[in-house]
Amino acid sequence: MDRRVFLQASLGAGLIGASGGLAAPAIAQGAAKRTLKFVPQANLANFDPIWGTQYVVRNAAALVWDTLYGVDEKLQPQRQMVESESVSDDGLVWTFKLRSGLKFHDGEPVLAKDAVASMARWSSRDPMGLMIKGIQNELVAVDDLTFRWSLKKPYPKMLLALGKNNAPCSFVMPERIAKTDPFTQIKEYVGSGPMKFVAKEWVPGAIAVFEKFEDYKSRDEPSSWLAGAKRMMVDRIEWIIMPDPATALAALQNGEIDWWENPLSDLVPALQGNSDISVDIADPLGNVGSFRMNHLYPPFDKVEVRKAVLTALSQEDYMRAIVGSDDKLWKPMPGFFTPGTQFYTEQGGDILKKASIDEAKKLLEKAGYDGTPVTCVVAQDQPITKAQGDVTADLLRRMGMTVDFVATDWGTVGARRASKKPPKEGGWNMFHTWHAGADCLSPAGYNALRANGEKAWFGWPNSPKTEEGITAWFEAADLEAEKAALVKTNEAAVDDVVYGVTGFFLSYQAWRNTLKGVKNGPLPFFWDVTKEA
């Protein structure tokens, strides 16, 4: 019996109800009035927001580190740590001045040298940062609060790059920490954000703790996503790791936790039937389900094999595995850009509508597939990845492929997917993930779409035509030119199978009504959230 069947049976039998029928863990309440207890989407197994791109790390990092700019709910970058900026008439020299009085959690002032070192590390890992680094003349501190970034050619989307919400964000760290090799994880977690990370209480797999930074200098503007004021109305936030959905459900119903980031859709009826709990769509821009194939090693080094998998997959199977039977929560998505937004296109996406095992088998045979095992690394503690992984394993076997199914946790997936070693030596052939719809609106910050080989996201796809389309979008003079560029981008990305799109889906969040100020968006925003006694 799988998890979904068990939970549905338990609900039907009344074993999970408004009173929280399954036993919840005994969580010490302490000063509950000022402590917000939150169940995140996954375990916080590592905590370097530049080294990797896992959303759970980005979400926690947004509490601890601040950024030079932050996008608001209209996806416009607004000043955050920056007081002012100027750009030369030729667009080649950007000069930034930091706000005075900003402090790190260790009491040291935030200086221009910290921003310079932080941008240097960030621009070595982030796709937009790499674009800037590729045209950089120099990045230098001018004085304690001012730094200059000079370029060889204009980069009009500079402020968006510095304020975007997708990982890795351009978080500012003390210079000594930011000088860590960008491909090595940091070991000290000091930021200037509204909350301090309590490293001594961090137990990966169990709990992560954040405490209010009393010296945080908030902006005065209204808060909007990552922009504006970040006023913390609680003293302490505890991230309680609960990989079992039934346990999290009971804990929320019993009042032992306050907020659950991503409850399973199957459990939502039980939550909606509890007058003490609010349930809402977490982000109207939704999510894009995906699996990554490693383009470096057989069998997915051959585009014909990758196309065979796309030909066989049924997006409906993947989406129902994630969201259940509620058709309002998912859409087919024969393309790469968020449905319902200005750049959505299905150009070239017919292959994602076929769902033909027979045709896929013929493609495999034509490609000369020789039974090479597919090492499929699947996180079991993340419902989204587990659901997709189960569907894929069955799909590949029905196609006649050999599957090496590696059941593990999300933290391990996050570390293993960065390895370029052969699958037999600790590498991988496939892993599953998802992308926030807010990240897939355009190429700006859309890491998963990049196809520039060794510099691309995990899987390292190499598709010159996809990159040509992305470059054309960045250089486009108007909206129509941008749209035309992305039609070609979508077609090329499907043709070369940059990654496998499994569909578009919405997810829920749930919280007890003692919390006020919970908003929707691509990540949980804790500022301005209050907790009643």
Side-chain angles (χ1 to χ4, degrees):
M1 181 180 292
D2 66 23
R3 179 181 294 171
R4 168 162 278 123
V5 173
F6 169 74
L7 291 173
Q8 289 175 334
S10 298
L11 282 168
L15 299 178
I16 304 175
S19 61
L22 292 183
I27 303 171
Q29 293 299 307
K33 183 178 180 181
R34 300 284 295 178
T35 298
L36 191 159
K37 296 180 183 291
F38 175 77
V39 174
Q41 57 179 252
N43 173 34
L44 186 67
N46 68 78
F47 199 28
D48 186 338
I50 305 301
W51 177 83
T53 57
Q54 287 183 307
Y55 285 139
V56 67
V57 177
R58 185 273 314 269
N59 297 351
L63 288 168
V64 175
W65 289 280
D66 220 337
T67 51
L68 299 173
Y69 295 81
V71 292
D72 60 20
E73 60 190 19
K74 296 181 180 180
L75 297 170
Q76 297 302 307
Q78 307 294 342
R79 295 169 184 159
Q80 194 61 29
M81 299 177 74
V82 165
E83 178 182 291
S84 64
E85 75 286 322
S86 63
V87 60
S88 60
D89 291 341
D90 59 7
L92 298 181
V93 180
W94 290 82
T95 304
F96 302 91
K97 183 177 181 181
L98 299 174
R99 296 160 59 207
S100 62
L102 300 180
K103 291 183 180 180
F104 286 114
H105 300 156
D106 59 6
E108 293 296 315
V110 176
L111 302 176
K113 66 178 183 179
D114 303 305
V116 166
S118 297
M119 294 308 99
R121 187 169 191 260
W122 165 79
S123 65
S124 296
R125 296 302 304 264
D126 179 77
M128 293 186 80
L130 285 165
M131 294 177 73
I132 298 170
K133 188 174 183 178
I135 57 173
Q136 174 180 310
N137 269 328
E138 65 173 359
L139 172 59
V140 295
V142 176
D143 57 37
D144 280 353
L145 294 179
T146 308
F147 69 96
R148 182 175 59 244
W149 211 333
S150 65
L151 311 174
K152 298 173 183 176
K153 60 182 292 188
Y155 192 77
K157 292 182 171 61
M158 172 69 82
L159 301 188
L160 179 59
L162 299 180
K164 63 186 179 62
N165 58 273
N166 75 293
C169 300
S170 57
F171 293 114
V172 175
M173 304 176 178
E175 181 187 38
R176 68 180 186 279
I177 301 174
K179 284 187 173 180
T180 303
D181 185 306
F183 292 89
T184 301
Q185 292 187 44
I186 61 173
K187 298 179 180 179
E188 188 180 359
Y189 314 104
V190 177
S192 65
M195 301 292 283
K196 297 183 293 184
F197 185 60
V198 187
K200 65 182 180 181
E201 295 190 50
W202 181 27
V203 181
I207 190 170
V209 177
F210 310 84
E211 291 183 345
K212 186 176 181 179
F213 179 40
E214 297 295 346
D215 287 339
Y216 179 68
K217 188 176 180 181
S218 178
R219 295 195 69 92
D220 296 325
E221 299 90 343
S223 62
S224 178
W225 281 21
L226 294 176
K230 296 179 179 178
R231 294 177 291 264
M232 301 309 303
M233 312 306 289
V234 296
D235 299 315
R236 179 178 168 97
I237 298 174
E238 295 179 359
W239 282 30
I240 313 296
I241 311 305
M242 292 185 184
D244 177 56
T247 302
L249 171 69
L252 185 63
Q253 291 176 320
N254 292 338
E256 298 195 24
I257 60 172
D258 303 301
W259 188 353
W260 187 5
E261 182 179 359
N262 62 338
L264 284 181
S265 57
D266 293 328
L267 300 180
V268 166
L271 294 169
Q272 291 173 328
N274 190 321
S275 60
D276 294 324
I277 294 172
S278 292
V279 183
D280 195 11
I281 295 297
D283 182 6
L285 288 172
N287 305 276
V288 176
S290 78
F291 56 76
R292 302 289 294 188
M293 292 176 276
N294 192 333
H295 292 225
L296 301 182
Y297 297 104
F300 298 130
D301 58 334
K302 291 185 176 181
V303 67
E304 295 84 3
V305 178
R306 301 197 299 272
K307 285 184 175 180
V309 179
L310 289 198
T311 299
L313 75 82
S314 162
Q315 290 189 336
E316 181 175 355
D317 289 349
Y318 281 96
M319 292 298 97
R320 292 201 183 282
I322 294 173
V323 305
S325 59
D326 191 343
D327 288 340
K328 297 189 299 295
L329 294 179
W330 73 277
K331 295 179 181 178
M333 186 178 164
F336 288 90
F337 298 101
T338 306
T341 63
Q342 63 181 350
F343 294 130
Y344 178 72
T345 175
E346 298 184 7
Q347 183 70 32
D350 287 349
I351 191 172
L352 287 163
K353 303 175 183 179
K354 292 186 175 182
S356 173
I357 293 291
D358 290 340
E359 187 174 343
K361 287 180 177 180
K362 293 177 182 177
L363 290 173
L364 271 186
E365 183 178 1
K366 185 177 180 180
Y369 174 67
D370 59 1
T372 299
V374 175
T375 300
C376 191
V377 184
V378 182
Q380 303 296 292
D381 58 343
Q382 172 49 261
I384 295 172
T385 59
K386 182 185 185 304
Q388 293 185 100
D390 290 345
V391 173
T392 293
D394 176 66
L395 177 74
L396 297 180
R397 290 181 178 120
R398 286 189 290 125
M399 290 172 60
M401 301 187 79
T402 305
V403 179
D404 172 24
F405 191 91
V406 180
T408 185
D409 61 88
W410 188 227
T412 299
V413 172
R416 186 165 178 174
R417 69 186 185 178
S419 174
K420 292 182 179 179
K421 292 181 179 179
K424 292 181 179 180
E425 298 177 19
W428 56 278
N429 290 115
M430 293 185 77
F431 75 87
H432 297 76
T433 187
W434 74 101
H435 311 294
D439 293 353
C440 304
L441 300 174
S442 75
Y446 194 167
N447 299 357
L449 187 62
R450 297 306 300 267
N452 48 347
E454 293 292 313
K455 294 181 179 180
W457 202 54
F458 310 119
W460 307 284
N462 186 5
S463 172
K465 289 185 178 180
T466 300
E467 285 296 301
E468 287 174 11
I470 291 173
T471 299
W473 180 83
F474 274 101
E475 296 177 348
D478 54 42
L479 180 60
E480 289 308 309
E482 288 182 334
K483 288 182 177 180
L486 294 193
V487 166
K488 293 181 179 179
T489 301
N490 194 80
E491 188 171 25
V494 174
D495 193 48
D496 287 335
V497 195
V498 171
Y499 74 85
V501 178
T502 62
F504 172 85
F505 65 97
L506 299 170
S507 58
Y508 290 100
Q509 62 176 340
W511 65 95
R512 292 192 65 81
N513 293 334
T514 48
L515 293 188
K516 306 296 181 183
V518 175
K519 304 178 182 68
N520 57 26
L523 66 153
F525 301 113
F526 292 92
W527 27 93
D528 288 339
V529 175
T530 62
K531 182 178 178 180
E532 298 175 352

